[in-house]
Amino acid sequence: MDSITQIALGATVGYAIMGSKVGRKAALYGAVLGTFPDLDVLIPYGGDIENFTYHRGFSHSFLVHAIISPILAWLFCTLHPQTKTLFIHWAGMVFAVLATHALLDGFTVYGTQVLWGVTEYPFAYSIFFIIDPLYTLPLLIPTLLYFKPGMAKERMRTITVWGLGLSCGYMLWAIAAKQYIDYINHHALAAKGIDDSVYVSTPAPLTTLLWRSVVVEDNAYYEIYTSIFDNVDEVTIMPYPTQPELLDSINDEWPVQRLQWFTKGLYSVKQIEDEVILTDLRMGIEGAYVFTFAVGRITDSGIALGDLRQIENRPSFAGLPRILHRIVDPTVQISPTVNP
């Protein structure tokens, strides 16, 4: 999720655990800790593909969090000698803030290695877009009020409970919405004879009322938009070609295998001029995907490994009004048609 959400979540969790013992400092420490796991973006892993697939790795691991929690708890006890008897509480706060950060990231489509150290598998159960105001606001309001002069402790405890309660309630709604969308999509795809064994659904920008899904078959992939108000026959399914055979001569190369693994098969392959382009279909929209890489180059002797650079092609929010309109109007077309 975005940094503001993670800061607000960290501050609220921190205050919930330690606010009654150290006051506003608990929210401040929680907010700072809430940003820690994402500092791994500052680490150069050796290339664009490495940076993409190693992000949300060790820094998001529950095992690493468990190891560093007592270390940071000792630091907090040193900074606040009067709380030396609260070592376990400090450790619990640190772990809770770091672990909830990783858990929340795991509720987006990117993939989070929460069990790094045991497995590098990028867990993802996508129920949130990277920015979701309805999740963030119940946490952001308490975060801002913690630092308002004159706020009584009882009032701060109340807004903490309400903030965490509303955000968790919205999370439960998102899980239920995803289950319903997957059910509708399954029947819509089955009606068209499309195999949905390689499939993902994720909320559209800023809302859990409209969902974008992707299905990949051998030589085609499908971009799907489904509103929670849609009937099965109103689901929008647009097909696009993919050419996985372009990878045949470079399939054994680590960068290609790494992308295939990290995307969980939800990628497309196309030739653009003299390059072979592999695109992660999970993030972005058709025509503007966030993570696209030049994995191959066409030579006189065949296809060789490319320069592996990331191609910048981030989506624009200019089409957001149309996306939001699609929530209530199934005739609104978001996906572009395929050029003949």
Side-chain angles (χ1 to χ4, degrees), residues 204-205 207 210 225 285 319-327 332 334:
T207 181
L210 180 71
Y225 282 94
I285 60 175
L320 183 59
R322 188 170 70 253
I323 291 175
L324 297 179
H325 190 196
R326 172 62 182 83
I327 295 172
V332 173
I334 300 172

Side-chain angles (χ1 to χ4, degrees), residues 212 214 221 223 225 238-241 268 270 272 277 279-281 283-292 311-316 322 334-339:
R212 176 186 178 271
V214 175
Y221 64 92
E223 185 175 54
Y225 282 94
M238 290 294 293
Y240 300 95
S268 69
K270 296 179 181 179
I272 299 179
I277 306 300
T279 297
D280 186 338
L281 298 172
M283 287 166 278
I285 60 175
E286 182 58 29
Y289 288 102
V290 179
F291 295 105
T292 297
I311 300 171
E312 292 295 332
N313 190 25
R314 291 183 176 273
S316 166
R322 188 170 70 253
I334 300 172
S335 303
T337 56
V338 180
N339 294 325

Side-chain angles (χ1 to χ4, degrees), residues 199-229:
Y199 163 90
V200 70
S201 60
T202 187
L206 310 181
T207 181
T208 52
L209 298 178
L210 180 71
W211 294 64
R212 176 186 178 271
S213 307
V214 175
V215 168
V216 177
E217 292 187 316
D218 290 339
N219 295 302
Y221 64 92
Y222 303 85
E223 185 175 54
I224 305 157
Y225 282 94
T226 315
S227 166
I228 64 163
F229 303 114

Side-chain angles (χ1 to χ4, degrees), residues 57 134 309 311:
L134 289 182
R309 76 187 187 283
I311 300 171

Side-chain angles (χ1 to χ4, degrees), residues 246-253 256-257 276 295-296 303-306:
L246 292 173
L247 299 179
D248 286 350
S249 62
I250 55 175
N251 253 329
D252 292 335
E253 299 286 352
V256 175
Q257 292 183 344
V276 176
V295 297
I303 298 177
L305 194 65

